[in-house]
Amino acid sequence: MAIAVDKLSDPAVRALVAAINAGDRAAFRQTLAPGATMSDDGSDRDLDDWTEREIFSSRGHIDVRSESSAGRALIADYRNDTWGEMRTAWRFTVDGGKITRFETGQA
């Protein structure tokens, strides 16, 4: 059973997941610190290019199954129009209420 987005423990992660699920690019960007970085399956990616392709233009959606590390580590079912649905792990680094880095990949 999915964890409701509004029940996620970390406010920055909660805001990021809500923005992804709403398809809200502006709200997504507001969750990130300047210079934020990310990786996918262990490889660093260009954050803007990756999020446009893998989230926003392909209608990405996250259903969180579990959280740990005070809400900064998630296991989720992620789906988009390109790849379908897959179990994914997400790990977030948060500083000053903003996400400075996230790492995702198949779980």
Side-chain angles (χ1 to χ4, degrees):
M1 177 178 242
I3 299 172
V5 174
D6 65 347
K7 302 295 184 196
L8 295 174
S9 299
D10 187 276
V13 172
R14 182 183 327 124
L16 180 131
V17 172
I20 289 171
N21 289 351
D24 188 334
R25 288 172 179 87
F28 177 85
R29 292 299 305 171
Q30 289 176 358
T31 70
L32 302 174
T37 62
M38 61 89 50
S39 71
D40 182 12
D41 283 328
S43 296
D44 281 359
R45 307 288 184 189
D46 178 275
L47 189 142
D48 292 330
D49 177 62
W50 188 91
T51 56
E52 181 57 34
R53 188 179 66 255
E54 300 291 339
I55 297 174
F56 295 110
S57 67
S58 60
R59 300 183 325 146
H61 187 89
I62 299 176
D63 289 321
V64 177
R65 298 298 172 193
S66 66
E67 67 173 355
S68 59
S69 299
R72 294 184 180 174
L74 309 176
I75 299 295
D77 292 330
Y78 182 77
R79 66 181 178 275
N80 66 25
D81 291 345
T82 303
W83 304 108
E85 186 169 312
M86 66 191 86
R87 183 67 45 111
T88 56
W90 298 74
R91 303 222 185 296
F92 299 90
T93 304
V94 179
D95 185 24
K98 297 285 187 178
I99 295 169
T100 60
R101 181 169 176 82
F102 68 90
E103 299 170 352
T104 188
Q106 292 193 38

